[in-house]
Amino acid sequence: MLVSALLTSVGINSGLCVLFFTLYSILKKQPSNYDVYIPRLLVDGTSKRISHFNLERLIPSPGWVRRAWNLSEEELLSTSGLDAVVFMRIITFSLKVFLVAGIIGIFVLLPVNCTGDQLQDIDLVDISNNSLDVFSISNVNSGSKRLWAHFCAVYIVTIFVCYLLYYEYKYVSSKRIAYFHSSKPQPHQFTILVRGIPVSVGSSISDSIQSFFTEYHPSTYLSHMVVRRTNKLRALINDAKKLYRRIIHLQSSPTQNKYRPGNCFGLFGRKVDIVDQYEKKLEDIQENVRLGQSDVSLAGEEIPAAFVSFTSRYGAAIAFHLRQSINPIQWVTEQAPEPNDVYWPFFSSSFMRRWICKLVVVVACILLTILFLIPVVFVQGLTNLSQLEVLFPFLKSILTITFVSEVITGYLPSLILMLFLKMVPPIMELLSSIQGYISHSGIEKSACDKVLWFTIWNIFFATAFSGSVLYQVSIVLDPRNIPAKLAVAVPAQASFFIAYVVTSGWTSTASELFRLVPFLWSLMRKPCTRSTDDDLEVPSIPYHRDIPRLLFFGLLGITYFFLAPLILPFLLLYFCFGYIVYRNQFINVYAPKYETAGKFWPIVHNSMIFSLVLMHAIAVGIFTLKKLSLATTLIFPLPVLTLLFNEYCRKRFL
Amino acid sequence: MLVSALLTSVGINSGLCVLFFTLYSILKKQPSNYDVYIPRLLVDGTSKRISHFNLERLIPSPGWVRRAWNLSEEELLSTSGLDAVVFMRIITFSLKVFLVAGIIGIFVLLPVNCTGDQLQDIDLVDISNNSLDVFSISNVNSGSKRLWAHFCAVYIVTIFVCYLLYYEYKYVSSKRIAYFHSSKPQPHQFTILVRGIPVSVGSSISDSIQSFFTEYHPSTYLSHMVVRRTNKLRALINDAKKLYRRIIHLQSSPTQNKYRPGNCFGLFGRKVDIVDQYEKKLEDIQENVRLGQSDVSLAGEEIPAAFVSFTSRYGAAIAFHLRQSINPIQWVTEQAPEPNDVYWPFFSSSFMRRWICKLVVVVACILLTILFLIPVVFVQGLTNLSQLEVLFPFLKSILTITFVSEVITGYLPSLILMLFLKMVPPIMELLSSIQGYISHSGIEKSACDKVLWFTIWNIFFATAFSGSVLYQVSIVLDPRNIPAKLAVAVPAQASFFIAYVVTSGWTSTASELFRLVPFLWSLMRKPCTRSTDDDLEVPSIPYHRDIPRLLFFGLLGITYFFLAPLILPFLLLYFCFGYIVYRNQFINVYAPKYETAGKFWPIVHNSMIFSLVLMHAIAVGIFTLKKLSLATTLIFPLPVLTLLFNEYCRKRFL
């Protein structure tokens, strides 16, 4: 790839970003878009839809950037919880790392790389005509003493990253402790979930729990609640809740009805009618619920799982930590999740069934991760022009236009890949939910891990070793040759990944800000449905989509900083965008649905350690390739020390 | 190896065994050997040294075999504890496995192997002239349908072993539970060991513990005892104890003195003198101890570790299971070992130091395991004749005798290997003790693991891949080719391992019975020291030496049963000998020093699972080599299922 090509890409994407940012500044101020861009403020009641028109609404303003910038960590903590703080610390952590790596990379390594002439001399007159490889380590002569600069850089950055990781982990865990100290007593802290309850013939699950806990925890046992399958009741109760909220809203603001905007079936009667109508409906539902509760078969069968509450948090902790039964697969205890966080559908009954589910899911994930690209390539193959013409004969006339056919052949395959990739986080979330987690947070954490490894495999390794799946797997199965193969394959893809940061990274941030999909969805929906603000659900940030993305860019930065330092400025810009955009979204869009109190940090920590070790493996390969065997030998302690550091942190903080 | 050679070896070793057994029968009855052969009965007081002579003492009798055979499991449990029961169950488990495998092997696989003619036809006329390979799978023709017999045997034996493993694990854990139910309240059950106690300036460790536990466990905290370095005091107290025991013994049996046998400095005065003398000595020591205790510097510095006792076992369990501190490396709790089981020397102070010790030991173990054979081969090289002549010129005349030189060149190298191997269990025990365990049982369990892996590496793999260490390591680092390389290397060593079972296995059992080293030691010591029975310490069985040996023979049996079924009869005989000998030793020799309540079983379980998976890997390689690709494919689910079974057992029983 030539410098000019990169500059073009940077130009196009910068333009797109500016466009998105400007559009956002304007669209955000339109009351009809409030439910897309500031749903959180709308629900909180801090912003109302005011529809009087003024010119200011059409002029883009950077006020939201200032607001996002000025947000302090305490404010973020109080409004969005500790998870949001931890999320933002991933970005600030990356910024710190890549600032230091960037200074070393740009001011030390880049000149060293440019002055080498392994590939070609740099063309100082016509900079844009140089290949990007001139700026990478490939251009340094084999056996050159200058490679020691790279060697030192690897050491310095590793030490710096480890120091920061330690500091951040300490900070996050101190925040965790502070959070637990400051939080008021909450019901879920007094409760544990018990699964695998053995039932003797003739007695109910409830009796079994009652007798067990009154026998073994007589002084702290308070009450219990057996879990039931209640799909029908749950639907009714949800309906009732919705109606109730609507009635409350109508009663509290009697003028609301008159000003309701954009109602395409505007044939409703007076306000009082609506309230009455709603109240009648609510009564009906109430009746149904009562009927359902009295009918045992509808109330749902009992599941051998129960929430058991204790009189003190200490009592709950004891019951959670001590093994309850001589058979470890009976009376399995878990900490109860927050009430909002409970994920009901999969309270699968027996230990065996959950275990098998877990195995199946793990196998499915591994297969999905390894074999993902096969169907994608197949579908992409279907979209060549002749195939399309056969499948959709009526398109024939359009496809013959040169421009259209160029667009299709050029963009359709990558669009398909993008769409498939978009589907991965939801699929992984689904798989995690089958795995037997009982809380949304657990599901999301597990999905986060899965998506991260999926991304590393299917973007990093698949690009680096752009061969068949079998070839990739064979590399993993041959651990001795990994460094050598990485050293050949990874630097060759430097220019691709620089472009990837610019295109995928920057665009993803812009589209995160612009919320393209919700925006289009709201545009499509608006004319046909009565959208009331009370129906509005504030979205929660999908950590399992965004954390792996940030971490993947972190991995790219750490592995490429000494190979192709040119990637660092673009990464820094990406993280700067991310910093502003996500803070803005936390203020305006996302509300926390639950609080894991920073349990996402270990994922970040592990991912960074993996990045470091991968970087060391590449360095070993590179120095071998460049015939600097002393450096190769001296790199070896580094991964060992990094892994020991990781082990220490695991013991020290978890 | 020819059949005749094997028969010779079997003949020699059977002769040796018979000789040892006969000698044992006789020597056991001599009162002067009671301290070697029945120290336990001697100390218990059930046997007295009666020196009146009769002819029966010189006639070998098999009475001890009957007694050992008749011992029931309940008796063993009551006299030697659960660990001895678990130890014996390893042997019965192996017997069951190899009985079934033996029936399949001898009656199905052996005829199949013999009727093949890949190597050569069997010579039925002169059986003893056949190569042993004729009886192994190597003799079956490539691609032959008869290999399906081996395939079925692999499946049947795997299923049988897994079934037995499950059954045994269940049995052992039920025994464990029964043990805990039946045992009386014991002090160590009310106590936990706390390490990593933070000390604020100006307060002592004791204060710190006192305030911590009265704050967090007010209702259950009873007392504590800070650990101190007291090497000098301990020595004094040991001396005092020994003297005290001696005095008690002398006073209780006033006739003892007159009848003391074999005293080569028979110049001592009357009985009263000795007792007086002892009592004076004891008083001196008492004075010294008192002085030492009052002197703070001698009393030993306090170590930030303490035994904390609670008012109930439940309280101790709570304090053990709950994390005590927000910093996980402070207030680290462990279950207190039994008082007899505490290993004092290594109460290393800080978490970091223990962690580093552990790392160093792990690295040392791995290096020792991998590189062990290098110094051994070097030393063996030193013992060729010319080297010996240079080192010890005076031996020149002896070395020129043909017989002597043959013995030296033939036996010295293997003798050196044996001596080095004998040193391994103590070395591994030493390493484990540095690792930071605080109980003898923990050390022994860890040493057991280490010795097992050491044996597997340095006997199984080193024999199979009789190349350099680097070659062995390279095989392990290249996991894809392991089956292929195993399939070539392992069957080639079948005859060696058959001979190994006969020589090393049988002889080790015989020498275990005969207690060669203690016997020689007692012979040497007897003329010079006054050995009184009260000085006698009953040995405890060195599990870390014997369990790995049994498990290694189990591994040989499982991996070779379908390759060379001829190994099975010899193994069965080995385990039968073991069954009788160890039961006899439990009755007469070994007394339990501590009780882990069956914690050794998981090691057995894991080793068996490893053997199965290794056997599957070899099977995959063999079937590939024999061009039976369908069988290769069908073997693959087996290791996966075995590992899943292991995972299930781990969840179900631990």
Side-chain angles (χ1 to χ4, degrees), chain A residues 321-322 327-328 355 477 644 652, chain B residues 321-322 327-328 355 479 644 652:
Chain A
H321 282 286
L322 293 188
N327 182 345
W355 192 61
L477 287 181
L644 283 181
R652 171 67 184 76
Chain B
H321 282 287
L322 293 189
N327 182 346
W355 192 61
L644 283 180
R652 172 66 183 78

Side-chain angles (χ1 to χ4, degrees), chain B residues 255-302:
Chain B
T255 54
Q256 179 78 5
N257 199 34
K258 296 171 193 158
Y259 291 108
R260 189 179 294 144
N263 189 337
C264 68
F265 312 115
L267 296 165
F268 281 87
R270 284 173 305 121
K271 186 203 80 185
V272 188
D273 282 353
I274 295 179
V275 174
D276 277 358
Q277 196 186 335
Y278 282 172
E279 275 176 354
K280 218 183 151 296
K281 259 196 200 169
L282 193 60
E283 269 165 29
D284 284 358
I285 291 175
Q286 216 168 353
E287 193 54 43
N288 278 336
V289 169
R290 227 173 266 130
L291 268 173
Q293 278 172 334
S294 62
D295 181 5
V296 178
S297 67
L298 192 71
E301 46 168 331
E302 284 188 332

Side-chain angles (χ1 to χ4, degrees), chain A residues 12-224:
Chain A
I12 292 173
N13 281 287
S14 308
L16 276 176
C17 283
V18 170
L19 182 72
F20 272 125
F21 278 39
T22 318
L23 272 178
Y24 172 75
S25 301
I26 298 170
L27 286 174
K28 181 177 175 277
K29 284 187 265 182
Q30 313 309 319
S32 62
N33 295 326
Y34 277 9
D35 55 340
V36 177
Y37 293 119
I38 50 169
R40 185 170 183 184
L41 300 183
L42 216 57
V43 169
D44 286 358
T46 33
S47 270
K48 294 267 175 217
R49 294 186 197 270
I50 314 157
S51 64
H52 59 83
F53 181 86
N54 58 16
L55 197 67
E56 201 216 337
R57 265 174 51 181
L58 293 182
I59 299 167
S61 61
W64 61 274
V65 175
R66 213 186 47 246
R67 261 198 306 284
W69 177 263
N70 284 336
L71 183 74
S72 74
E73 200 172 273
E74 283 73 42
E75 283 166 1
L76 188 64
L77 183 63
S78 64
T79 57
S80 296
L82 189 49
D83 287 334
V85 172
V86 168
F87 183 83
M88 287 314 299
R89 286 203 83 91
I90 302 175
I91 299 180
T92 51
F93 169 83
S94 308
L95 277 174
K96 284 177 206 163
V97 169
F98 294 122
L99 202 65
V100 170
I103 290 169
I104 296 172
I106 300 296
F107 295 108
V108 181
L109 302 184
L110 202 59
V112 171
N113 291 347
C114 290
T115 51
D117 52 5
Q118 179 83 357
L119 301 177
Q120 63 194 81
D121 280 324
I122 192 163
D123 184 357
L124 286 171
V125 187
D126 187 4
I127 283 278
S128 68
N129 206 23
N130 284 306
S131 160
L132 277 180
D133 291 339
V134 174
F135 302 100
S136 81
I137 199 170
S138 314
N139 199 34
V140 182
N141 302 33
S142 283
S144 160
K145 289 268 173 282
R146 296 181 178 187
L147 283 169
W148 287 102
H150 298 82
F151 175 83
C152 293
V154 167
Y155 257 87
I156 292 170
V157 168
T158 303
I159 291 166
F160 181 70
V161 171
C162 285
Y163 164 75
L164 262 191
L165 276 176
Y166 183 82
Y167 173 80
E168 289 287 326
Y169 215 144
K170 202 169 171 182
Y171 182 84
V172 168
S173 60
S174 75
K175 281 277 164 194
R176 257 178 84 82
I177 290 160
Y179 168 80
F180 288 119
H181 274 303
S182 66
S183 75
K184 288 184 203 129
Q186 286 174 323
H188 68 270
Q189 295 166 339
F190 292 83
T191 306
I192 61 168
L193 173 69
V194 181
R195 295 207 267 189
I197 299 164
V199 184
S200 51
V201 183
S203 71
S204 72
I205 293 171
S206 183
D207 297 342
S208 177
I209 298 166
Q210 179 86 35
S211 62
F212 184 87
F213 282 96
T214 43
E215 184 177 353
Y216 292 108
H217 301 271
S219 59
T220 53
Y221 169 70
L222 181 68
S223 67
H224 70 269

Side-chain angles (χ1 to χ4, degrees), chain A residues 385-639:
Chain A
L385 284 183
S386 50
Q387 283 279 353
L388 280 181
E389 279 178 20
V390 173
L391 286 173
F392 306 101
F394 53 89
L395 288 178
K396 212 164 195 173
S397 53
I398 305 173
L399 289 175
T400 46
I401 305 165
T402 326
F403 176 72
V404 173
S405 71
E406 266 180 0
V407 166
I408 286 178
T409 49
Y411 280 85
L412 207 55
S414 65
L415 191 71
I416 289 170
L417 178 64
M418 289 296 285
L419 285 178
F420 269 99
L421 280 177
K422 283 263 177 235
M423 280 158 50
V424 169
I427 291 176
M428 290 300 188
E429 196 180 12
L430 178 72
L431 285 176
S432 291
S433 69
I434 301 172
Q435 212 173 330
Y437 292 101
I438 46 142
S439 61
H440 290 287
S441 60
I443 291 170
E444 213 159 326
K445 247 190 330 182
S446 155
C448 194
D449 254 336
K450 292 193 179 89
V451 175
L452 177 65
W453 294 113
F454 179 91
T455 316
I456 291 175
W457 177 267
N458 275 306
I459 300 185
F460 189 83
F461 286 108
T463 309
F465 307 110
S466 47
S468 68
V469 174
L470 277 180
Y471 179 66
Q472 282 186 59
V473 173
S474 78
I475 286 168
V476 172
L477 287 181
D478 190 8
R480 271 180 306 165
N481 296 327
I482 288 179
K485 289 194 174 140
L486 280 175
V488 176
V490 173
Q493 300 299 333
S495 47
F496 170 81
F497 280 119
I498 294 176
Y500 182 82
V501 172
V502 173
T503 53
S504 173
W506 293 8
T507 328
S508 75
T509 320
S511 78
E512 167 64 44
L513 180 71
F514 193 67
R515 287 173 61 76
L516 193 66
V517 176
F519 178 64
L520 291 178
W521 177 241
S522 119
L523 273 188
M524 274 158 47
R525 203 179 48 160
K526 211 156 275 168
C528 338
T529 61
R530 297 175 305 122
S531 85
T532 51
D533 291 352
D534 4 298
D535 278 354
L536 196 69
E537 280 209 20
V538 186
S540 65
I541 181 166
Y543 287 115
H544 63 289
R545 189 195 67 193
D546 291 351
I547 290 182
R549 193 191 289 147
L550 289 174
L551 293 180
F552 180 68
F553 284 113
L555 177 114
L556 282 187
I558 289 179
T559 45
Y560 273 103
F561 92 94
F562 78 107
L563 299 173
L566 215 57
I567 203 172
L568 292 169
F570 302 108
L571 266 180
L572 273 173
L573 260 176
Y574 166 73
F575 282 112
C576 287
F577 284 162
Y579 184 75
I580 295 295
V581 166
Y582 280 109
R583 279 172 159 247
N584 178 60
Q585 303 299 77
F586 276 122
I587 298 174
N588 295 323
V589 180
Y590 299 126
K593 217 160 81 185
Y594 51 78
E595 179 69 67
T596 70
K599 275 196 185 165
F600 282 99
W601 188 259
I603 297 175
V604 180
H605 186 89
N606 290 338
S607 154
M608 287 294 160
I609 295 285
F610 175 78
S611 309
L612 285 177
V613 174
L614 184 63
M615 187 256 275
H616 301 150
I618 297 170
V620 166
I622 284 278
F623 289 129
T624 314
L625 211 66
K626 293 276 178 189
K627 301 190 178 60
L628 208 69
S629 56
L630 181 60
T632 312
T633 318
L634 289 178
I635 285 285
F636 271 110
L638 213 46

